[in-house]
Amino acid sequence: MGADPGAPPAADRDTRLAVNGEPLDWREGMTVRDVLQAKNYVFKLLIVTVNGTLVPRGSYDDFVVPAGADVKVVHLISGG
Amino acid sequence: MSTSPATDSPTTSTARDYTVRTSYTQGLEEMRAAHKVLLEVPFTPSEPERGYNMRSLHVDLTAMKVTEKKVTQQMKDIFVGGRGFGLWYLWNATTPATRWNDPENEIVIAPGPIAGITQYPGTGKSLVVSISPLTDIPIDCNVGGYYGPLLKFCGFDAIEIQGKAAAEVVVVVDGPRGVIRIEECPLEPPDSHVLSEIFTHMYATGPEDYKNVSVVSAGKGSDHSYIGCLNFSFWDLRRKAARLKQAGRGGVGTVFRDKKLKALVVRGPVIKADLNHVADRARIQKVGSVINKEIHDLDSSQCNMRRQGTAHLVEVMDAYDLLPVKNFQYGNHPDTKNIASWVWDKRFTQGIPDGCWYGCTMSCSKGADGHVVKTGPYKGDVVTVDGPEYENAAGLAANCGIFDPDWLLESNFYCDTYGVDTISFGTLCAFVMECWQRGILNAERTGGLDLTWGNAEAQMEMLHQMARGEGFGVIAGKGIRQMKRIFAENGWGDPKLMNDIGMEVKGLEYSQYQSKESLAQQGGYALTNKGPQHDEAWLIFMDMVNKHLPTFEAKAEALHYFPLFRTWFGLNGLCKLPWNDIEPANNAEQAEPAKVPEHVHNYCEIASGVTGIEVTKEKIIEQSEKVYNFQRIFNLRRGYGKREHDWPPYRSVGPVTVEEYESRAERYDKQMREEIGVDPEGKTTEEKIAITRQYREDRYSKLCDAVYKRRGWTTDGVPTVATLEKLGIALPELVELVKQHGG
């Protein structure tokens, strides 16, 4: 079985995350809110999954993201 | 013009009391007395059955003749209504040789079968179709305000305006009286905030009737430019004012004024819950009550449309490097905070309904009351500015390097009342400011206008010149495509550079999103039928941020689905915003959440509930695909609609200049290293720009291949006969046409 292309390389999994396939430095206790702030994702219509688990919008401040996690932040569309 | 206060207001001071504004109705009786009735035709008013009246109105201003036409079953089956009806009427009214200012060109206004229901938000839209002076192909605009629904409730599914009047006229459809009149109207000023108020008062039977009157008008800016827009009014009961919504794109206001039309007026019946006489009202109410609750409960934690309208996007786009700054060179600016949503949250009057049609709980037609006009013919007046919406804030302000909310209100107000498209004006103003930056323009060439970035007073003077038909404003008002030609003919600049930085495709100016870093959105703009407007497809987040469209095929699928889904709003008289500017609480748990599946289901329910014909999500796409392909073939008939016409300016694809490249050097160098396979080390910026350009343009070309294939078109972008047959639109004249072009 091939490696998940969204996951960080094995050597980095203790120190990094993958957010929409791009690497991000990880730190102990990092929450979903911290990830969004680090990426400057200020848009509100988001769908966040961490290792495939949906994180409810009300839990962004509390949900702790583990090292090496594959974080997907889906931005919906608005405007126009 | 009078600048005395409204009768119920003691002052025109700077107070932000939303009932205080300058009144323009003094002299109304004198204006009325100057009217001369040129034609008066009785008609039998009717109400639609299951969304349709099965008749439309044709007005010939040359012959001074009004004719009723039957809406056929074939029209409903193929074109549905709205934009579809407009395109079909325009096709039949014109020839390939018809130019925008020929008498046979039409302005068609059609609301669509769903338009006018009041149980679901965003259901009062009119669609405007005409041959555009900017593009020479059909343009379509989706606009709020009451004109279309009221026309429908007088008994007509569409109105075609053809011919040219000999003098300034108003065409009045008075439903309750059952009469259509064409009147000469010499005295009223054409500017929309004045004219809408005057005609609302003139044609209503009294204050209780103001809400049943809607006025369509342009303004002085439409007289002297190719970027004229139409303002559709709706009576704001709380403000006691005629508010305006814009049919903005492509110069429809220019066509309107060229016909010597001062206004269209409709007076309809009092709006009730079921004037559409729908097939199954309970079915509509069921989904309507659900989404209205969603908006009530969730809007404040989602897009906040009810307080800020689309202006909520200003700082969002800035944060994602997508806000056009200085003619789309850059994507953000430190001063964006001065024009961001929190500014408008305070400037907009809060707590009063701002829907542009009855029953719209999204209520996003925000108004900034108490603006004291700083310049021009209305200097010192107190006005309500409709907006700014996102496009105005981005285009009139950020894209021109102007970050002052008062100047933004000023330009927003004057664009509206002059009948000037804010999007085209913002983008062309940004273009001439960059031309100034690069020495293509100077004070001698602009007649003294100093078009330095951020010079709001010069921007306003250019707009006033446009309205007066004077000076450099007249040249600017011809749009970017014509300006590029004129500047090149005068030897003022390098034509290649101007082509790269002039943000237009097909002759239409870009709307206000950066597409450089999203290949899908480059197609979302340049592969449109009418020109680069975001109402076909907005794919930047899906592509650039979510990375959900990794292949050409995935991008092509999105560029198939989303333009077709959004076309459907225009066929039915719907607003796009309640589709995805509010989402159900459980949307994240759905398959394909970007499509907002529950709301797609709602649209199936209301379409079925209105017409009595079952509409599925597949049928939505099928209905749109017929009209979308027809419009492409319409372009083809007029000598356009091929691959060469879908090619974007390079500014929308990648960095044109050294400054642009270096502003995102890390991103571009990374792409060069990882995707192109070239080491940027040791290369000059000019060399890196050339390498990036070759790569990106090649990818855009491959995107065209994939999209055309997905849409069932040839590699030259021509719909094939097989596609027409599959869609059930293999009409002999269409088949003959596509065959001539290899389809």
Side-chain angles (χ1 to χ4, degrees):
Chain A
M1 194 168 67
D4 179 354
D12 293 338
R13 280 184 195 153
D14 290 343
T15 57
R16 306 191 92 174
L17 307 168
V19 183
N20 289 350
E22 292 182 349
L24 179 71
D25 288 342
W26 174 85
R27 60 177 167 73
E28 186 73 37
M30 196 173 202
T31 65
V32 166
R33 181 75 64 201
D34 295 330
V35 171
L36 298 180
Q37 284 175 351
K39 296 293 290 183
N40 200 24
Y41 286 165
V42 301
F43 189 56
K44 289 184 179 171
L45 295 183
L46 300 177
I47 298 172
V48 180
T49 60
V50 176
N51 293 329
T53 300
L54 179 68
V55 181
R57 282 189 188 143
S59 302
Y60 290 174
D61 291 322
D62 308 321
F63 194 102
V64 176
V65 181
D70 178 22
V71 181
K72 296 276 194 283
V73 184
V74 175
H75 291 58
L76 300 177
I77 310 165
S78 77
Chain B
M1 180 187 70
S2 163
T3 54
S4 60
T7 52
D8 56 351
S9 306
T11 176
T12 56
S13 73
T14 55
R16 294 262 163 77
D17 180 342
Y18 63 76
T19 66
V20 174
R21 70 187 54 78
T22 300
S23 168
Y24 299 96
T25 54
Q26 285 80 5
L28 187 144
E29 289 310 318
E30 184 190 352
M31 289 184 249
R32 190 202 306 267
H35 280 212
K36 179 180 170 190
V37 177
L38 303 175
L39 181 74
E40 184 166 297
V41 179
F43 76 99
T44 305
S46 63
E47 290 176 1
E49 192 62 36
R50 298 188 174 197
Y52 293 95
N53 289 284
M54 301 306 290
R55 65 172 173 168
S56 66
L57 197 60
H58 181 275
V59 177
D60 183 338
L61 294 174
T62 304
M64 282 295 147
K65 190 177 172 191
V66 171
T67 314
E68 288 185 15
K69 285 183 173 179
K70 277 190 177 175
V71 167
T72 65
Q73 187 61 42
Q74 185 190 39
M75 280 176 66
K76 287 172 61 177
D77 292 344
I78 295 178
F79 298 100
V80 183
R83 170 175 158 189
F85 279 11
L87 288 166
W88 177 239
Y89 280 138
L90 191 65
W91 173 277
N92 289 308
T94 59
T95 72
T98 302
R99 300 276 80 86
W100 70 272
N101 55 354
D102 287 334
E104 62 263 33
N105 188 20
E106 291 192 333
I107 290 172
V108 191
I109 301 173
I114 298 175
I117 65 170
T118 58
Q119 297 81 19
Y120 199 89
T123 52
K125 292 294 193 127
S126 305
L127 278 295
V128 184
V129 173
S130 188
I131 302 285
S132 161
L134 285 170
T135 66
D136 198 32
I137 54 177
I139 188 77
D140 58 272
C141 306
N142 182 323
V143 58
Y146 291 177
Y147 186 86
L150 290 178
L151 179 78
K152 187 170 157 181
F153 296 143
C154 289
F156 301 105
D157 294 330
I159 183 169
E160 295 170 82
I161 307 288
Q162 199 173 28
K164 291 191 189 187
E168 299 263 6
V169 296
V170 55
V171 178
V172 183
V173 177
D174 190 328
R177 292 193 175 104
V179 66
I180 298 158
R181 282 196 311 278
I182 303 177
E183 300 175 7
E184 208 173 300
C185 50
L187 298 185
E188 295 87 352
D191 291 342
S192 285
H193 82 292
V194 178
L195 191 61
S196 298
E197 181 179 325
I198 290 171
F199 278 164
T200 298
H201 285 74
M202 190 179 288
Y203 290 103
T205 56
E208 288 303 307
D209 197 36
Y210 292 160
K211 65 182 183 301
N212 304 318
V213 173
S214 177
V215 180
V216 179
S217 61
K220 294 192 197 85
S222 286
D223 290 351
H224 305 294
S225 77
Y226 289 175
I227 60 171
C229 76
L230 292 177
N231 289 292
F232 282 50
S233 78
F234 66 101
W235 186 253
D236 186 323
L237 286 168
R238 296 285 189 91
R239 289 184 172 87
K240 298 183 174 67
R243 306 279 308 281
L244 303 176
K245 298 296 289 184
Q246 288 72 42
R249 307 304 328 263
V252 289
T254 305
V255 179
F256 191 88
R257 294 295 293 151
D258 184 65
K259 293 182 177 301
K260 285 199 162 48
L261 263 175
K262 193 169 275 181
L264 302 174
V265 175
V266 65
R267 178 171 170 256
V270 175
I271 297 303
K272 291 180 286 193
D274 192 19
L275 287 179
N276 245 340
H277 297 282
V278 301
D280 187 345
R281 190 167 146 193
R283 197 169 173 182
I284 300 164
Q285 284 173 321
K286 185 177 176 187
V287 293
S289 64
V290 172
I291 193 171
N292 285 332
K293 187 170 188 312
E294 280 170 17
I295 291 171
H296 176 271
D297 294 349
L298 303 173
D299 176 62
S300 60
S301 63
Q302 293 184 10
C303 294
N304 220 3
M305 297 288 283
R306 292 186 301 169
R307 290 186 63 88
Q308 299 166 353
T310 57
H312 78 91
L313 286 168
V314 175
E315 66 270 20
V316 174
M317 292 303 129
D318 186 88
Y320 289 82
D321 207 18
L322 296 170
L323 184 73
V325 173
K326 297 188 176 178
N327 196 29
F328 299 87
Q329 293 183 78
Y330 312 110
N332 62 78
H333 195 279
D335 293 335
T336 296
K337 62 183 183 300
N338 299 334
I339 56 166
S341 68
W342 45 83
V343 174
W344 305 114
D345 196 280
K346 292 188 177 71
R347 293 290 185 100
F348 295 151
T349 299
Q350 301 293 350
I352 60 175
D354 275 321
C356 67
W357 178 241
Y358 294 84
C360 185
T361 48
M362 186 158 266
S363 197
C364 68
S365 298
K366 309 314 296 179
D369 295 295
H371 175 68
V372 181
V373 181
K374 295 147 79 90
T375 66
Y378 303 106
K379 184 175 180 178
D381 288 8
V382 179
V383 298
T384 294
V385 183
D386 294 286
E389 301 180 29
Y390 166 75
E391 290 290 330
N392 300 351
L396 299 170
N399 214 2
C400 299
I402 298 166
F403 293 92
D404 182 308
D406 292 311
W407 281 113
L408 173 52
L409 286 173
E410 183 82 0
S411 55
N412 192 150
F413 164 72
Y414 267 114
C415 278
D416 288 352
T417 199
Y418 282 158
V420 166
D421 173 17
T422 51
I423 294 176
S424 276
F425 182 76
T427 300
L428 73 80
C429 189
F431 171 69
V432 296
M433 285 181 161
E434 186 170 355
C435 287
W436 180 278
Q437 176 195 334
R438 301 192 185 285
I440 296 167
L441 291 175
N442 54 41
E444 185 184 350
R445 292 168 183 172
T446 64
L449 283 178
D450 174 358
L451 294 170
T452 304
W453 295 115
N455 189 344
E457 291 180 67
Q459 180 191 60
M460 288 310 306
E461 179 52 25
M462 190 169 77
L463 182 56
H464 293 313
Q465 287 184 356
M466 206 176 281
R468 295 195 300 264
E470 294 174 357
F472 185 74
V474 174
I475 296 171
K478 292 185 186 305
I480 290 174
R481 178 163 285 194
Q482 295 301 322
M483 277 196 284
K484 289 189 300 187
R485 178 184 58 77
I486 293 165
F487 296 173
E489 284 173 0
N490 288 343
W492 291 353
D494 174 8
K496 183 175 177 302
L497 174 65
M498 289 190 283
N499 276 326
D500 283 348
I501 66 175
M503 289 292 283
E504 58 88 9
V505 170
K506 302 179 172 76
L508 187 70
E509 285 75 22
Y510 271 68
S511 69
Q512 311 299 338
Y513 296 99
Q514 283 277 14
S515 57
K516 270 181 220 169
E517 313 311 332
S518 165
L519 176 59
Q521 187 57 30
Q522 292 160 25
Y525 270 136
L527 292 166
T528 47
N529 269 327
K530 67 179 170 222
Q533 170 74 351
H534 53 279
D535 65 352
E536 274 204 12
W538 199 92
L539 304 174
I540 302 179
F541 282 161
M542 286 181 79
D543 190 34
M544 183 183 93
V545 184
N546 303 344
K547 298 184 172 54
H548 277 172
L549 307 174
T551 64
F552 291 111
E553 289 70 25
K555 295 180 205 301
E557 183 59 34
L559 284 166
H560 176 70
Y561 176 82
F562 285 101
L564 294 183
F565 182 70
R566 295 176 68 147
T567 290
W568 192 79
F569 294 127
L571 306 184
N572 285 283
L574 297 172
C575 175
K576 164 263 168 195
L577 297 173
W579 162 48
N580 65 357
D581 281 65
I582 184 75
E583 61 161 31
N586 67 349
N587 189 50
E589 297 158 22
Q590 308 300 310
E592 299 187 289
K595 293 180 178 176
V596 199
E598 184 177 313
H599 290 177
V600 175
H601 168 77
N602 290 355
Y603 288 115
C604 295
E605 288 297 291
I606 62 173
S608 305
V610 169
T611 64
I613 299 164
E614 281 305 305
V615 175
T616 61
K617 62 182 182 180
E618 291 80 16
K619 191 171 178 69
I620 285 175
I621 301 303
E622 181 191 314
Q623 288 181 325
S624 291
E625 200 168 4
K626 293 176 198 284
V627 177
Y628 195 87
N629 277 268
F630 178 78
Q631 190 166 350
R632 181 76 174 185
I633 296 168
F634 204 149
N635 289 354
L636 197 62
R637 182 170 85 153
R638 298 190 57 75
Y640 308 91
K642 288 188 173 180
R643 190 182 188 106
E644 64 181 296
H645 306 109
D646 292 335
W647 195 256
Y650 187 60
R651 172 62 57 74
S652 76
V653 174
V656 174
T657 65
V658 169
E659 309 95 276
E660 273 174 276
Y661 190 98
E662 291 178 351
S663 73
R664 292 174 172 153
E666 189 180 350
R667 177 198 293 263
Y668 297 139
D669 283 355
K670 181 170 183 277
Q671 182 179 58
M672 191 171 298
R673 196 177 293 110
E674 295 179 1
E675 296 181 34
I676 307 176
V678 173
D679 185 355
E681 195 63 35
K683 293 194 166 43
T684 66
T685 302
E686 287 82 355
E687 288 170 335
K688 292 193 286 188
I689 288 172
I691 293 165
T692 299
R693 180 168 189 154
Q694 186 177 13
Y695 173 74
R696 290 189 171 207
E697 290 189 333
D698 179 60
R699 278 169 57 81
Y700 181 79
S701 190
K702 288 188 171 80
L703 177 74
C704 290
D705 292 338
V707 172
Y708 295 157
K709 184 179 176 187
R710 178 63 186 89
R711 291 180 177 176
W713 298 353
T714 68
T715 53
D716 202 19
V718 177
T720 64
V721 173
T723 297
L724 302 192
E725 288 171 343
K726 185 192 84 172
L727 296 172
I729 57 168
L731 305 176
E733 56 194 317
L734 303 187
V735 169
E736 180 64 26
L737 193 57
V738 299
K739 275 184 176 173
Q740 287 171 16
H741 294 279

